[in-house]
Amino acid sequence: MAARKKAKKKTTKKKIVKKAPKKKKVAKKAKKKKAAKKKKVVKKAKKKKATKKKKTVKKAAPKKKKVAKKKPTKKKKVAKKAKKKTSKRKPSAAFMKPMTPSDILAAIIGPKALPRTEITKQIWKYIKKHDLQDKTKRIMINADEKMKALFGGKTKVSMFELTKWVNKHLSA
């Protein structure tokens, strides 16, 4: 019996001895991994520096490379996506609503109620017909007697201000 007890004690000691080095190995492995990572970072930095140096050398003396002709390859046919049918863009209802012009504006475009888009077109027809666009600065409109009344007494108005002045002379 004494021999058996001794054998059991020996085995328990062996187990303890085996467990302790495992912990040390784990710690050593972790240290090795950290060291390996540091080495990789250092290698990457060295490679970057080396490529920068190579690039400057290439700029100084560029070499012509011979390019072999490529054999024609068969292209795979890709199915085309079906295009969506797009309808024409519809104008806003607010622009298409007929507006009645004031007496001043009616002298230029007529008394008939028209949508804003048509009113603008009629005004531009009048400007082109009477040659009221400035010769040197094309965005300016030189007003005649009818247009002066429309523009509030101004002799020159920018084409960007035109709709602002026209809207003052429209009513629903």
Side-chain angles (χ1 to χ4, degrees):
M1 287 228 173
R4 285 185 186 170
K5 287 181 181 178
K6 286 181 182 178
K8 285 182 180 178
K9 287 181 182 178
K10 287 180 183 177
T11 56
T12 55
K13 286 182 182 177
K14 287 180 184 176
K15 287 180 183 175
I16 295 171
V17 173
K18 286 181 182 176
K19 287 181 182 177
K22 283 184 181 176
K23 290 180 182 175
K24 290 180 183 177
K25 286 182 183 177
V26 172
K28 286 181 182 178
K29 286 181 182 177
K31 286 180 182 178
K32 287 181 182 179
K33 285 182 182 179
K34 287 181 183 177
K37 284 182 182 178
K38 286 181 182 177
K39 287 181 183 178
K40 285 181 183 177
V41 171
V42 172
K43 285 181 182 179
K44 285 182 182 178
K46 287 181 181 178
K47 285 182 181 179
K48 285 182 181 177
K49 288 180 182 177
T51 54
K52 286 181 182 177
K53 289 178 183 177
K54 287 179 183 177
K55 286 180 182 177
T56 55
V57 172
K58 285 181 182 177
K59 288 179 182 176
K63 295 179 182 178
K64 292 183 179 179
K65 294 182 181 179
K66 292 182 180 178
V67 180
K69 292 182 180 178
K70 294 182 181 179
K71 294 179 182 178
T73 56
K74 293 181 180 178
K75 294 182 179 179
K76 294 180 182 179
K77 292 184 178 179
V78 180
K80 292 182 180 179
K81 292 182 181 178
K83 291 183 179 179
K84 293 182 181 178
K85 292 184 179 178
T86 55
S87 61
K88 283 191 172 182
R89 190 174 148 228
K90 295 180 182 176
S92 173
F95 285 120
M96 298 312 293
K97 181 181 174 187
M99 304 289 280
T100 54
S102 68
D103 294 334
I104 297 169
L105 185 58
I108 298 169
I109 62 165
K112 189 177 170 185
L114 295 170
R116 289 181 192 195
T117 54
E118 289 299 317
I119 291 170
T120 307
K121 286 179 185 178
Q122 293 295 325
I123 291 171
W124 273 105
K125 280 183 185 177
Y126 181 85
I127 292 168
K128 298 281 184 179
K129 183 179 175 184
H130 292 84
D131 198 32
L132 299 177
Q133 201 170 5
D134 194 39
K135 302 288 183 207
T136 55
K137 198 171 183 183
R138 303 292 290 173
I139 64 167
M140 298 304 286
I141 299 165
N142 298 324
D144 62 352
E145 291 303 315
K146 291 180 182 178
M147 294 293 267
K148 258 188 190 179
L150 182 69
F151 297 147
K154 288 188 173 185
T155 56
K156 278 193 175 187
V157 175
S158 167
M159 67 172 62
F160 304 112
E161 296 176 54
L162 181 67
T163 53
K164 179 182 87 171
W165 288 105
V166 170
N167 284 335
K168 290 180 180 180
H169 294 278
L170 293 175
S171 61

